[in-house]
């Protein structure tokens, strides 16, 4: 390596002495004009919008970095620009780098499919040096799939000469250790509850009756979606979203009393589980009393009119954290809930929209009341771990496993997404792994095949990170998150498939017996042709067959098969059936 560096230095000196240009390894931003076209009918692929000779004269100009201007549009949109690499230094690779995509991307270069990326806010790149002729103009086209809110390319896009891809991708946050999280959460299995939907009563008392079953499932931490009174003004649906908070210091009378809530927390603790409460710090209902008392605490347009965070969230008003009085109010309120109800922490809605410095103050304030308080951020930015949050959302693995099960992604893409994640997050950062949550269509709807859906969840649940079950998932509940978020639609426990619950419980038990947050994890198979993924996690080997065919394999040094039916053929090969998984030790 020293000799290589010396050679580079001598080359640079020679170029300077000869009057030539020096070697430039700085990023070259793709600042040529970008154009955009929405694809609500999903015709772009069939119409060849990626072709070099496609007429893009009707596409609108747009800005990158940025999100698309239509706040109300979810779905597919296409981006196009030109690339012209200049002065590519000899001896270097050349990367096409995307700092962030919202949410998924397919990339074409000069009309040819170049690659895909799954998951919001994960930095990624393609090695592109052998595809670009120095000084020649090339055409870059992306199809962006957004799964909620305005989508687009919120991060910079650039060409970057590099030698080692680790140096290219490594985020500053990944160079440090994540602040210590509470010991009790490091190996916790999480269970998300929407109290209104959980029982026929839709109350705290109704949930208390189900705590023994939840405990037996293998759960350590219960996450309660917001329990506050819901605003009436601009309400969505007949009963409204729990994320439209009318009163931070109260619980919804439909759910019970504050005393009922305290009893629920006590009963959870008696069963040696922990509980966190979902809090909405970025916005309130329009009829929250703060609107009348402190209108200056809210974001306003140029005409002084209070505004929502975006046009789709018209049932809530955006809070403005530039106001110190608002910050003080929120800190006092968080402390009050811990003191008054003994909850163990919070899940914070859209945490990325609240300033990072507020989260630092919030964590310190809450730790004054309960030292081992836990913060779960709804967000994926690595910096959240350095600003008070203990755990973030693993959207990239959700995207990957859903697409893999649906046949629109390859195992190698999911493995690659995981590897890039490790170059982005602080060392030891806790990541929540899930195949569904309240913001997404139920996985049993996205993956109708029962066994394949279970395999997708088991893949998530046994990898590193903290597994999540969204209440109802364990009985195969189907449905879209809309209208479920705005209506009362109780879960149908008696009609559910309890056999799914038994499998999930067995998986969580294996996890508890054999794995800890310190157990090493690595992929060992990512076979695109056979649609097979396998990894080693601590002493465990997990094999996951996402294909429609038997997978035959040999595995030496196996003590036992902990889960899964694995017959042997005449040649001594294990046979893993389609859509199934197995766990071995």
């Amino acid at each position: 390596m020293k000799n290589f560096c010396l050679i580079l230095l001598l080359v640079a000196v020679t170029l300077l002495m000869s009057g030539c240009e020096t070697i430039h390894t700085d990023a070259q931003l793709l600042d040529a004009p970008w154009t955009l076209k929405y694809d609500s009918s999903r015709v772009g692929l069939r119409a060849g919008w990626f072709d070099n000779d496609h007429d893009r004269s009707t596409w609108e100009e747009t800005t990158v970095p940025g999100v698309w201007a239509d706040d109300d549009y979810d779905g597919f949109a296409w981006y196009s620009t030109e690339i012209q690499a200049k002065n590519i230094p000899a001896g270097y690779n050349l990367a096409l780098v995307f700092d962030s995509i919202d949410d998924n991307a397919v990339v074409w270069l000069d009309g040819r499919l170049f690659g895909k990326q799954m998951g919001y806010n994960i930095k990624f790149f393609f090695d592109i040096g052998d595809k670009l002729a120095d000084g020649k103009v090339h055409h870059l086209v992306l199809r962006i799939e957004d799964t909620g809110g305005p989508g687009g390319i919120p991060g910079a896009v650039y060409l970057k000469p590099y030698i080692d891809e680790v140096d290219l991708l490594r985020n500053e946050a990944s160079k440090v250790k994540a602040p210590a999280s509470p010991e009790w959460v490091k190996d916790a299995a999480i269970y998300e509850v929407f109290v209104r939907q959980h029982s026929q009563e839709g109350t705290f008392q109704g949930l208390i009756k189900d705590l023994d079953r939840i405990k037996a499932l293998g759960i350590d931490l219960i996450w309660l979606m917001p329990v506050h009174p819901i605003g009436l003004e601009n309400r969505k649906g007949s009963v409204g979203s729990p994320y439209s908070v009318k009163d931070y210091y109260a619980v919804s009378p439909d759910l019970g009393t504050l005393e009922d809530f305290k009893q629920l927390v006590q009963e959870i603790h008696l069963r040696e589980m922990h509980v966190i409460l979902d809090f909405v710090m970025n916005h309130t209902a329009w009829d929250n009393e703060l609107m009348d008392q402190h209108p200056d605490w809210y974001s306003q347009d140029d005409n002084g009119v209070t505004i929502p965070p975006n046009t789709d969230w018209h049932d809530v008003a955006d809070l403005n954290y530039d106001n110190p009085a608002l910050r003080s109010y929120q800190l006092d309120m968080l402390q009050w809930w811990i003191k008054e109800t003994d909850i163990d922490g919070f899940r914070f809605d859209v945490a990325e929209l609240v300033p990072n410095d507020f989260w630092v103050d919030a964590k310190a304030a809450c730790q004054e009341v309960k030292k081992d308080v836990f913060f779960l951020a709804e967000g994926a930015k690595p910096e959240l771990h350095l600003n008070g949050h203990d755990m973030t959302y693993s959207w990239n693995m959700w995207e990957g496993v859903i697409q893999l099960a649906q046949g629109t992604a390859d195992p190698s893409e999911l493995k690659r997404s995981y590897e890039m994640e490790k170059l982005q997050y602080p060392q030891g950062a806790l990541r929540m792994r899930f195949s569904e949550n309240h913001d997404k269509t139920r996985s049993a709807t996205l993956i109708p095949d029962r066994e394949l859906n279970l395999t997708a969840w088991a893949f998530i649940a046994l990898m590193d990170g903290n597994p999540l079950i969204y209440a109802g998932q364990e009985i195969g509940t189907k449905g879209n998150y809309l209208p479920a978020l705005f209506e009362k639609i109780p879960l149908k426990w008696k009609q559910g498939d309890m056999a799914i619950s038994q499998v999930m419980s067995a998986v969580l038990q294996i996890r508890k017996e054999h794995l800890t947050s310190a157990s090493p994890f690595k992929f060992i198979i990512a076979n695109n042709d056979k649609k097979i993924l396998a990894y080693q996690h601590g002493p465990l080997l997990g094999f996951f067959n996402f294909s429609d065919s038997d997978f035959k394999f040999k595995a030496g040094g196996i003590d036992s098969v902990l889960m899964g039916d694995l017959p042997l053929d005449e040649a001594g090969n294990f046979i893993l059936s389609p859509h199934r998984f197995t766990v071995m030790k």
Side-chain angles (χ1 to χ4, degrees), residues 101 103-105 116-126 165 169 380 393-401 403-404 409-425 431 433 459-460 463-464 521 523 526 528 533:
I101 291 289
D103 289 294
N104 306 311
K116 297 191 293 185
Q117 167 64 17
M118 300 171 293
Y120 165 68
N121 200 46
I122 299 294
K123 182 178 180 180
F124 66 99
F125 82 98
F126 301 111
E165 71 172 34
L169 282 178
Y393 273 47
S394 177
W395 285 115
N396 58 320
M397 289 295 103
W398 174 81
E399 298 276 5
V401 76
Q403 291 189 29
L404 181 59
D410 289 327
S412 63
E413 293 170 328
L414 195 149
K415 175 177 179 288
R416 179 64 170 162
S417 182
Y418 173 82
E419 292 169 344
M420 287 190 285
E421 172 189 311
K422 288 302 176 184
L423 296 174
Q424 298 293 300
Y425 288 84
R431 303 278 280 150
R433 310 292 188 187
F459 172 84
I460 289 292
M463 69 183 303
D464 66 345
F521 177 91
F523 281 96
N528 291 347
L533 273 164

Side-chain angles (χ1 to χ4, degrees), residues 378-400:
E378 187 203 10
K381 290 184 177 179
E383 298 77 25
L384 288 165
H385 289 277
L386 305 180
N387 292 291
H389 294 280
D390 300 287
M391 187 182 294
T392 52
Y393 273 47
S394 177
W395 285 115
N396 58 320
M397 289 295 103
W398 174 81
E399 298 276 5

Side-chain angles (χ1 to χ4, degrees), residues 281-444:
M281 309 296 283
N282 181 67
H283 46 265
T284 74
W286 290 93
D287 44 0
N288 190 301
E289 64 178 11
L290 299 180
M291 182 73 74
D292 293 328
Q293 296 174 358
H294 304 284
D296 57 317
W297 290 7
Y298 290 85
S299 301
Q300 299 175 350
D301 63 17
D302 294 338
N303 297 316
V305 177
T306 301
I307 58 175
N310 60 62
T311 55
D312 184 53
W313 297 359
H314 58 77
D315 58 335
V316 293
D318 191 60
L319 289 168
N320 183 357
Y321 276 81
D322 290 340
N323 194 308
L326 168 63
R327 292 177 176 238
S328 180
Y329 172 91
Q330 299 286 51
L331 296 179
D332 290 343
M333 182 266 298
L334 293 175
Q335 287 184 323
W336 182 89
W337 275 94
I338 300 174
K339 293 175 185 177
E340 188 69 21
T341 70
D342 198 30
I343 57 174
D344 301 299
F346 303 93
R347 180 267 190 188
F348 288 111
D349 187 59
V350 290
E352 294 173 347
L353 299 185
V354 177
N356 279 332
D357 60 341
F358 172 79
W359 293 128
V360 174
D361 294 339
K363 188 60 172 291
C366 291
Q367 286 177 327
E368 290 176 6
V369 183
K370 182 173 282 195
K371 186 175 180 180
D372 61 349
V373 68
F374 168 67
F375 279 18
L376 165 61
E378 187 203 10
K381 290 184 177 179
E383 298 77 25
L384 288 165
H385 289 277
L386 305 180
N387 292 291
H389 294 280
D390 300 287
M391 187 182 294
T392 52
Y393 273 47
S394 177
W395 285 115
N396 58 320
M397 289 295 103
W398 174 81
E399 298 276 5
V401 76
I402 295 296
Q403 291 189 29
L404 181 59
Q406 292 178 334
T408 59
D410 289 327
S412 63
E413 293 170 328
L414 195 149
K415 175 177 179 288
R416 179 64 170 162
S417 182
Y418 173 82
E419 292 169 344
M420 287 190 285
E421 172 189 311
K422 288 302 176 184
L423 296 174
Q424 298 293 300
Y425 288 84
Q427 300 156 34
L430 301 179
R431 303 278 280 150
M432 187 172 72
R433 310 292 188 187
F434 52 90
S435 62
E436 71 175 68
N437 62 55
H438 73 270
D439 279 317
K440 298 297 178 184
T441 296
R442 290 278 189 173
S443 63

Side-chain angles (χ1 to χ4, degrees), residues 39-88:
D39 189 10
S40 57
S41 300
R42 302 189 179 188
V43 299
L45 284 176
R46 295 193 303 273
W49 290 5
F50 50 83
D51 287 335
N52 261 11
D53 57 359
H54 180 74
D55 181 10
R56 301 187 183 90
S57 60
T58 60
W59 292 27
E60 64 184 72
E61 289 191 7
T62 191
T63 301
V64 173
V67 295
W68 52 61
D70 188 347
D71 291 344
D72 296 323
Y73 180 72
D74 291 334
F76 292 92
W78 294 67
Y79 283 77
S80 176
T81 192
E82 293 182 342
I83 297 179
Q84 186 177 26
K86 300 176 182 178
N87 302 323
I88 304 173

Side-chain angles (χ1 to χ4, degrees), residues 101-177:
I101 291 289
D102 187 3
D103 289 294
N104 306 311
V106 182
V107 182
W108 289 265
L109 184 68
D110 292 335
R112 294 188 176 185
L113 180 64
F114 200 70
K116 297 191 293 185
Q117 167 64 17
M118 300 171 293
Y120 165 68
N121 200 46
I122 299 294
K123 182 178 180 180
F124 66 99
F125 82 98
F126 301 111
D127 191 296
I128 202 169
D130 61 343
K131 303 296 188 298
L132 301 187
D134 202 347
K136 181 182 176 182
V137 175
H138 300 265
H139 297 279
L140 176 68
V141 177
L142 290 84
R143 188 185 74 159
I144 305 295
E145 178 189 11
D146 175 68
T147 58
I153 309 177
V157 184
Y158 49 93
L159 298 174
K160 173 68 176 175
Y162 74 99
I163 294 175
D164 188 334
E165 71 172 34
V166 172
D167 296 329
L168 178 70
L169 282 178
R170 189 172 296 280
N171 186 299
E172 286 299 312
S174 71
K175 298 178 181 178
V176 300
K177 290 184 178 181

